[in-house]
Every structure is written in C-alpha cells, then in structure tokens.
Amino acid sequence: MKLPFQNTYARLPADFFQRTPPTPVASPSLIALNHDLARELRIDPDFLRSEQGLAILSGNETPEGAEPLAMAYSGHQFGGFSPVLGDGRALLLGEIAGKDLQLKGCGRTPFSRRGDGRSALGPVLREYLVSEAMHALGVPTTRALAAVASGEQVHREEAEPGGILTRCASSHLRIGTVQFFAARQDHAKLRTLVEYAKKRHYPDLKNALDLLRKVTQKQAQLIAQWMGLGFIHGVMNTDNMTLSGETIDYGPCAFMDRYDPAQKFSFIDQQGRYAYQNQPYIAQWNLSRLAEALLPLIDENQERAVQLAQDELAQFPELYEAARLKIFSKKIGLPSNSNWDLIQSLLDLMTQQKADFTLVFRSLSQDPSSLLNHFQEDTPALQNWLTRWHAAAPPDRALMDRSNPAFIPRNHRIESVIEAAKNENYAPFHELHQILRQPYQEQPEFQHYQDSPAPDEIVCATFCGT
Ligand code: AMP
Ligand code: MG
C-alpha cells in the first residue's frame, strides 16, 4: 500500500528544516495501533499492522512518498531563549489528510545536540495514553497513531527499553517556529511561515495581527480546558505551544489528584514556574513572545505594531476568564453566566481539605450526598456552599455528567502501566487505554480506576524522559 503523503512543509524554503532519514532499530514490535485514527486518516489499519507497516512505524523503512525532515524552531525554555532547538528526536514524515505524521524517538537529527535522538518506552506510552485521553475528554490535542517498542535499550538514569511514537497533529508549528525566523531577522521567511500557518489553520485570516488574535483565542480556550480538568502540562516552553491551539508534547505532564493550585509535578520545574495556577499567566507570557516575533509583519511603524500587538494580548485575561467561567459553570451544572465566587468557594474548600479535584466534581453530578465523602470533615462552610449551590438554580445533571469525567489518566495508574511495560506486560496499558476512551461514562467493572491514589501510590514527581 502506498500512503498518500503530501509534503507541503518539505516544499518550504530550505532553512525551515533539515532532511534526515530515521535511524533503524534492532527488533521493533508493535504495542498499540490507533485504528480509529488510522481510519480518519484513511490509512488501512491492517496495513499498519503488517510487517511493512511496522517497519514504517519504527523508522526502519521510509514509506514511499514521505520526505522525512527535522523541523527547525527556537524556544524560550523556562524563560531563557534558545535560538536553535528543532526536532532533536523526531521526524516529520509528511502530511496525510492534511495532518502531520511524525515519528518521535527515531534517532539523531542535525538538531540533536548531545541527545541520542531516542525515547524511552515509558514516555511513549505516557504520551499515547494522555494524548488519547485528552482527545476523548474533548481537549484539542495531538494524537497517537502507534506505539512501538524498539527492542533496543536507551540510557537515561539507567538502561530502559526504547520506544517510538507515531504522532499526528494538525501541524507541528509552534510559537518557537515563528521565533526561529524572528531571531534571525529573516522577515521574508517569517512572512512565508505566517502565510503557511494561515493557509493550514486559519484560511480566512488576512494578516499577522489576525494570526496573533486567533492563537490568543485558541490558547485562552485551551488553557481553560486544562484548568477544568486539573491538567498540568509541565513544560510550557514556547516550543511546546502550538499555533493550532492543540496541546502538544506530553512530557512530565500530569492530572492532579488532590486540588492544590500550586501543584506541580515536573522534576525539572523546581521553581514551580509551570504549576497549575500559573498556566494562564505563562500562556499569556508565551503569547507575548509570539507577538514580539510577529512585530515586523504587524506594521512597518514598529511603535504602532507594538500598540496593536499589546491590544490583542490584553484580550487574553478576559478571554481566558470567560472560557474558564463557562467550563466550571458546566461542572457545577449551572448556566454559563453563573457566579465565579460560588465556584471559587468550592475550590477554596477543596484546597483547604485537600479534596480530590475529579472525584468532587463527579460526585456533585452523580450523587451530591456523597460529596462529603471526598472531604476530610463536614464543616459549616461546606454545608453553606451546598445551600448556596442549591439556591442558585436546579443543576443540569446531564450537562454535569458530560463535563466532569469519571476517569482521568491518574499518575499512579500511568506509572504502574509503565512498570509493567518494562517487563513486556502491556495488558495494563491496554486496559487503561480502553477505560479512558469513554471518560464520562460510568464503567462499573472499572470503578476502582476512579479512585485517587492510596498514600503509598502517590506520585510526587514526573520526568521528561529525555
Ligand atoms: P522537549 O523537552 O521534548 O520539548 O524537547 C526540547 C528540545 O530537546 C527539542 O529540541 C527536542 O528535540 C530536544 N530533545 C529532547 N530529548 C532529546 C533526545 N533524547 N535527543 C535529542 N534531542 C532531544
Ligand atoms: Mg518539545
């Protein structure tokens, strides 16, 4: 079978990327294949399961029509600017049905610096599970088409089995991609990039300012969705934020169990820069970097360009707060013009009592009388909250069920899936994946997957795996 690759990115000027073939691996085996996504892309899943399919998904064979390349980009990492990052362990094969297909963990590229270009199997399975869970939860995200065990070891803290993820995205254009040309003051290529981004994502937009506005809107919506699920991305560097508004790069990401606005998991984020409560501020900070990069295209008069860009950026807090209010109103089953104070009071009670974010909201929709089970003690403040909630309006239970997941990819579950996978036992991976396909459905036989971790199961830190 010939895969119907288009290669629009490969047609861009040479300094947008470096052409590199994937590096073959010793003895690949397929762990997971996303049949639904394959069909959406109009690829026959049976072909991907075949020997040749596996060779393609492991980087052992470059499919006919693909033009593997590592994309160039810059990025602010934890606030510091790196002018040249680029795909150091990923290759774009091309586009199929308008979507990028990328192999991640497929060997060194000209952007690898000191890295090995590989990925451990753990992070591959984590990204597969979490990105597919996000999709099922209704969050814009890159997706996982396949996970392969490479049959080789990678060396991190210790030797670990290696893996390769096939990722699918509306595109892999990042804020960092725009920064790459801005940093070189290459305004012609900057313009080419903006035209390309508009054509792929927002064909109705006219100019760079429109693009800034659109990305600001998309990111405000996206971050509000993350906040509504207790999702912490963990590495919100500008190279990990897309122009499409899809969540990308599931490194040390995690869903929080107990509600704590200051929660962070990433081991490398010692300062908590990317903690839960900071995510909207960081998004706005990243968008400011995008605005800066776009300035030369916004107006010839740079003073005017700055003013126009600032006006767009100034919209972010309002857009974010409106999106957040809508999302949390649904979570408590009230009309979207409800009162943030009511929601904030509940969140404050959850913080004080270290209540589980997901279980509290789910119990509100399923059985409000069980709400107290998720708090350490019944307090007048809690009763007062319930009274206020009941007085506000009759809650829309069906809406709440659709807005409060029963199942999220909890850290301790992911960790045990990864531990089992290290011993080539993939059954826990498949079970968790299956449950997360319908996160808003009660699944009585898997009830225990809703539970928060026991004290000895709590995961305190997550790692990029790079
Ligand atoms: P990330 O933390 O995945 O967003 O990656 C940040 C940068 O480091 C990107 O340029 C990656 O391509 C690069 N990188 C991460 N891990 C590796 C690796 N194992 N080998 C080469 N480059 C890597
Ligand atoms: Mg990245």
Side-chain angles (χ1 to χ4, degrees):
M1 180 182 171
K2 185 171 182 287
L3 297 175
F5 278 105
Q6 301 146 303
N7 302 88
T8 64
Y9 200 83
R11 300 283 88 79
L12 289 169
D15 33 3
F16 277 66
F17 53 81
Q18 300 275 345
R19 291 183 191 273
T20 319
T23 310
V25 293
S27 52
S29 54
L30 186 67
I31 297 175
L33 179 70
N34 191 334
H35 284 234
D36 292 350
L37 181 59
R39 284 190 208 97
E40 267 178 51
L41 297 171
R42 295 188 285 276
I43 306 174
D44 179 1
D46 289 337
F47 168 69
L48 292 177
R49 288 198 164 275
S50 70
E51 204 177 312
Q52 194 192 1
L54 177 61
I56 292 170
L57 297 171
S58 57
N60 283 5
E61 180 183 322
T62 298
E64 196 188 333
E67 297 183 38
L69 58 87
M71 292 170 71
Y73 51 85
S74 311
H76 274 90
Q77 301 178 299
F78 293 89
F81 186 64
S82 296
V84 184
L85 286 173
D87 291 330
R89 55 166 167 172
L91 290 172
L92 178 68
L93 293 178
E95 305 109 49
I96 291 189
K99 306 266 189 197
D100 280 7
L101 269 202
Q102 192 198 60
L103 295 181
K104 197 172 170 184
C106 58
R108 291 180 55 83
T109 81
F111 298 112
S112 296
R113 289 160 289 162
R114 277 163 302 168
D116 60 1
R118 293 297 184 191
S119 180
L121 185 57
V124 166
L125 297 182
R126 177 189 294 273
E127 176 155 353
Y128 195 114
L129 283 172
V130 183
S131 65
E132 286 302 305
M134 290 287 262
H135 173 73
L137 288 161
V139 183
T141 177
T142 63
R143 299 198 57 191
L145 180 63
V148 164
S150 66
E152 292 180 354
Q153 302 266 297
V154 295
H155 299 278
R156 298 296 180 257
E157 306 278 280
E158 52 189 27
E160 289 185 45
I164 297 155
L165 180 79
T166 307
R167 178 160 82 178
C168 176
S170 288
S171 87
H172 285 84
L173 299 175
R174 309 144 192 267
I175 290 181
T177 322
V178 183
Q179 290 182 295
F180 182 80
F181 295 104
R184 299 171 153 212
Q185 300 191 344
D186 187 340
H187 298 171
K189 303 261 169 51
L190 190 59
R191 198 174 295 280
T192 304
L193 173 62
V194 166
E195 288 308 314
Y196 180 79
K198 283 196 295 161
K199 201 164 167 186
R200 270 195 84 169
H201 299 297
Y202 313 112
D204 299 336
L205 300 188
K206 287 200 199 57
N207 53 40
L209 188 66
D210 289 347
L211 181 67
L212 175 62
R213 181 181 309 124
K214 198 71 185 178
V215 179
T216 303
Q217 290 166 354
K218 291 272 183 185
Q219 289 293 341
Q221 175 64 35
L222 180 68
I223 307 299
Q225 284 188 270
W226 291 359
M227 300 302 273
L229 291 166
F231 175 75
I232 303 168
H233 181 282
V235 226
M236 288 178 70
N237 294 334
T238 57
D239 53 306
N240 291 339
M241 202 168 213
T242 58
L243 301 185
S244 67
E246 287 178 349
T247 312
I248 194 170
D249 275 6
Y250 294 86
C253 64
F255 284 73
M256 56 186 184
D257 299 301
R258 292 179 191 166
Y259 183 71
D260 174 7
Q263 181 72 62
K264 59 135 188 130
F265 290 98
S266 171
F267 182 72
I268 53 169
D269 188 12
Q270 292 296 336
Q271 307 294 319
R273 177 182 169 90
Y274 298 137
Y276 174 78
Q277 65 191 354
N278 290 352
Q279 297 187 120
Y281 303 103
I282 293 292
Q284 192 174 4
W285 191 88
N286 289 347
L287 289 163
S288 305
R289 305 290 78 77
L290 173 63
E292 268 165 20
L294 290 172
L295 283 179
L297 307 187
I298 289 178
D299 200 289
E300 275 173 22
N301 175 338
Q302 285 298 281
E303 246 171 72
R304 206 176 122 70
V306 169
Q307 190 55 55
L308 289 167
Q310 278 175 351
D311 291 348
E312 293 306 333
L313 292 169
Q315 299 295 314
F316 182 87
E318 220 171 288
L319 288 167
Y320 166 71
E321 275 168 29
R324 182 182 64 163
L325 179 62
K326 209 166 165 183
I327 287 165
F328 278 86
S329 296
K330 285 188 195 163
K331 289 177 82 69
I332 59 168
L334 298 184
S336 53
N337 57 352
S338 56
N339 182 340
W340 179 257
D341 286 349
L342 181 63
I343 296 161
Q344 189 61 53
S345 310
L346 178 61
L347 294 173
D348 291 344
L349 287 165
M350 288 164 64
T351 313
Q352 283 156 24
Q353 296 214 33
K354 301 182 167 51
D356 186 278
F357 182 78
T358 306
L359 290 176
V360 163
F361 282 104
R362 185 71 181 179
S363 71
L364 267 189
S365 58
Q366 290 278 309
D367 175 15
S369 65
S370 72
L371 179 71
L372 296 175
N373 299 345
H374 304 297
F375 286 82
Q376 287 162 348
E377 52 176 347
D378 185 5
T379 60
L382 201 48
Q383 289 302 329
N384 179 32
W385 188 83
L386 281 168
T387 311
R388 284 168 68 200
W389 179 53
H390 286 307
D396 179 342
R397 288 285 177 77
L399 176 68
M400 291 170 79
D401 277 349
R402 292 197 302 275
S403 312
N404 295 316
F407 299 99
I408 53 162
R410 291 187 186 266
N411 290 323
H412 66 296
R413 293 284 176 193
I414 295 180
E415 291 304 327
S416 66
V417 159
I418 291 174
E419 277 315 306
K422 285 181 183 166
N423 297 315
E424 293 182 46
N425 173 11
Y426 305 122
F429 168 85
H430 290 295
E431 182 165 277
L432 182 57
H433 176 242
Q434 193 56 32
I435 294 164
L436 293 169
R437 283 166 61 110
Q438 294 193 304
Y440 297 102
Q441 293 293 322
E442 285 297 312
Q443 301 174 50
E445 67 280 31
F446 296 120
Q447 178 80 29
H448 52 290
Y449 275 85
Q450 293 193 23
D451 298 343
S452 49
D456 64 330
E457 291 176 322
I458 293 174
V459 175
C460 301
T462 52
F463 300 87
C464 277
T466 52

